[in-house]
Amino acid sequence: MTQMHQPVGLPGSVVWMLKSLEGEVRAVAARVARTIVEILADDTGPEVSDHTVFMAVHSALAHFVDLSMGREAPYVAIDDHYRRIGYRLAAAGRDRVVVDQALHVATTEVWDELRKRAAANELSAAALNAINEAVTGYVEHLTHQVDLGFEAGSEARDQDAGVARARLVDRLLGGAEQGEVEQQAAIAGWEVPDELTVMVVEIGERQRIARDALDDVALTRRRPTGQVVICPADQADTVTEQVRDAVPEARVVVCWPVPPGDVAAAWRWVNRALGLVRAKVIPARPVIHCRRHRTEIWLHAEPVMRRQLAQELLQPLFAETPNSREILSETLLVWLETRDSAPAIAARLGVHPQTVRYRWKRINDLFGEALHDPEFVVQLTLLLKASVPLWVAGDQSDFRRYQELTR
């Protein structure tokens, strides 16, 4: 026997209101679907198309109206539709929260539409309560169908090698335990090497490097900060070339080799290096090798601490005029790094030795005996190495902060 849903037994005033909605179901469904697509565009991916979202909303809304009118309305087609949606999302490795969010958005939008119509028709509180219960019960039924589909899709997903590769990337980036990483690697048919190279590829929001553009040894997945690529360390050069061939305009940041347990840290390092490229601290090139910029990556690991130390240790420089601050900081950093004579520093800076002596006298006036304190000198060296490139790149936030604090 075909499964039927019994009429919801709504008050006559509610039935009359829903009767007026019947001819506008398509337009209302289109508005609700657009809202869902806009909110979930970055999360649902291609597995659930805009048309699928519209059809899900339209069929459910039309079915609910039919039930409310007391008509025979088989649930079979609706159930199958929502189970398929749950299955697709689960099989694609999507989080269950995406489904919950979509259902919540749809329910909220539909309820807002019904509430406006109820106010226009001056429905009583009892009538509003009745329709609220009906909508809630209907959504609970649809949610159950999605749950059934999601459970089936999850079981299929666990055996799917392609999805397992994506989950393996997530486990590695999340710092999962070795056993969990090895389990996903076994499902994916991917052998975990002793050392891995992690890359972040800076590409456009709508760009994506296809997995078949890279060797099977490479794992890749789109992330909010860019596309991650993970491969055996001895294949890093080959995979980097393949990435450049796939997206020639992209910038690739490549970390030094790390054991599997340090992939999460390497992911932080490549993203920090990419941020420093954008801040003009690291020179912009098509391929950035983090090994050459380890000092900068390390020194910028704690930006808040750098800012605080700058306000504490560099106050004498901040009180200088912009031009004086620039030439004194440059001279001081060269001296701290080389401890060379005035002529040697002058040759490096391209100025006269007497100019360096004049600057050094001013530096001694500003910092005095502190320059004879080994701990202060170490902190000052690291602080200037981290800060001067920012200042040269045009970042004036340290000086503005000093001015605000000294007003």
Side-chain angles (χ1 to χ4, degrees):
M1 181 178 178
T2 302
Q3 182 186 2
M4 305 293 292
H5 193 282
Q6 297 300 316
V8 293
L10 293 169
S13 59
V14 174
V15 174
W16 179 262
M17 182 195 75
L18 291 175
K19 181 72 173 175
S20 70
L21 173 65
E22 190 172 16
E24 301 177 40
V25 165
R26 187 176 187 86
V28 173
R31 289 200 301 271
V32 174
R34 280 197 298 270
T35 301
I36 294 174
V37 169
E38 288 173 2
I39 292 175
L40 304 182
D42 294 334
D43 297 315
T44 56
E47 292 78 17
V48 179
S49 66
D50 295 3
H51 177 71
T52 301
V53 174
F54 168 75
M55 290 302 298
V57 176
H58 180 267
S59 59
L61 189 55
H63 187 249
F64 179 77
V65 171
D66 283 341
L67 292 175
S68 303
M69 298 294 103
R71 301 165 183 154
E72 290 190 349
Y75 243 148
V76 175
I78 296 292
D79 290 353
D80 287 346
H81 193 72
Y82 278 81
R83 280 197 293 266
R84 283 197 299 272
I85 290 175
Y87 184 95
R88 288 179 185 176
L89 288 170
R94 301 295 174 180
D95 196 308
R96 181 66 175 83
V97 71
V98 174
V99 186
D100 293 334
Q101 189 177 0
L103 287 169
H104 174 72
V105 171
T107 305
T108 301
E109 288 291 312
V110 169
W111 177 241
D112 285 346
E113 178 71 24
L114 294 176
R115 190 171 60 243
K116 292 174 186 176
R117 291 174 177 268
N121 286 271
E122 300 181 348
L123 264 61
S124 66
L128 274 173
N129 185 59
I131 193 172
N132 181 49
E133 290 180 357
V135 170
T136 300
Y138 190 83
V139 171
E140 286 177 353
H141 179 87
L142 295 183
T143 302
H144 179 60
Q145 305 312 308
V146 173
D147 287 341
L148 293 175
F150 199 87
E151 182 177 354
S154 297
E155 292 176 1
R157 178 190 63 193
D158 287 340
Q159 301 304 317
D160 183 83
V163 174
R165 290 172 72 96
R167 295 176 71 185
L168 176 57
V169 171
D170 291 341
R171 299 299 185 274
L172 287 167
L173 296 185
E177 296 292 333
Q178 180 180 351
E180 192 174 357
V181 170
E182 290 177 348
Q183 179 184 12
Q184 291 302 319
I187 296 173
W190 193 80
E191 185 176 351
V192 182
D194 293 334
E195 287 192 322
L196 293 167
T197 293
V198 179
M199 310 177 194
V200 61
V201 186
E202 185 183 38
I203 55 180
E205 290 183 5
R206 297 188 180 278
Q207 286 183 302
R208 189 181 297 267
I209 300 172
R211 189 165 65 86
D212 57 10
L214 310 178
D215 283 347
D216 284 343
V217 296
L219 302 172
T220 186
R221 192 170 192 188
R222 192 71 165 85
R223 304 288 287 189
T225 56
Q227 186 144 345
V228 58
V229 177
I230 302 172
C231 67
D234 59 1
Q235 297 294 314
D237 291 343
T238 298
V239 172
T240 300
E241 290 179 6
Q242 291 171 348
V243 170
R244 295 280 298 142
D245 289 340
V247 191
E249 71 276 16
R251 176 171 288 115
V252 188
V253 182
V254 185
C255 193
W256 54 86
V258 297
D262 289 344
V263 165
W267 180 238
R268 290 196 305 273
W269 297 334
V270 292
N271 279 285
R272 186 175 301 139
L274 183 57
L276 292 174
V277 171
R278 293 167 179 164
K280 300 181 181 179
V281 173
I282 292 177
R285 297 188 179 92
V287 179
I288 307 295
H289 291 282
C290 290
R291 184 186 294 277
R292 300 172 186 169
H293 304 283
R294 283 199 267 203
T295 301
E296 292 94 331
I297 295 170
W298 175 39
L299 292 177
H300 287 272
E302 293 289 346
V304 175
M305 181 177 290
R306 188 207 64 80
R307 289 197 298 267
Q308 291 179 346
L309 282 174
Q311 297 303 315
E312 179 182 336
L313 302 186
L314 300 180
Q315 280 194 20
L317 278 177
F318 291 168
E320 293 289 294
T321 64
N323 182 63
S324 177
R325 181 170 59 230
E326 179 181 344
I327 61 177
L328 292 180
S329 60
E330 180 185 41
T331 303
L332 177 56
L333 180 57
V334 172
W335 178 81
L336 289 168
E337 290 177 328
T338 66
R339 302 302 175 91
D340 276 338
S341 63
I345 294 175
R348 182 165 174 174
L349 295 177
V351 297
H352 193 278
Q354 191 59 34
T355 300
V356 172
R357 294 187 184 96
Y358 171 80
R359 293 179 184 178
W360 185 244
K361 180 179 183 303
R362 182 59 183 154
I363 289 171
N364 273 280
D365 291 340
L366 295 176
F367 291 98
E369 291 299 317
L371 292 175
H372 298 287
D373 181 346
E375 183 176 355
F376 176 82
V377 168
V378 169
Q379 290 183 337
L380 190 62
T381 304
L382 296 178
L383 184 56
L384 286 173
K385 284 179 70 69
S387 302
V388 169
L390 286 175
W391 302 345
V392 172
D395 188 331
Q396 302 295 303
S397 59
D398 285 336
F399 315 128
R400 288 195 296 268
R401 188 172 291 107
Y402 169 76
Q403 291 168 354
E404 291 170 358
L405 292 173
T406 55
R407 283 176 183 170

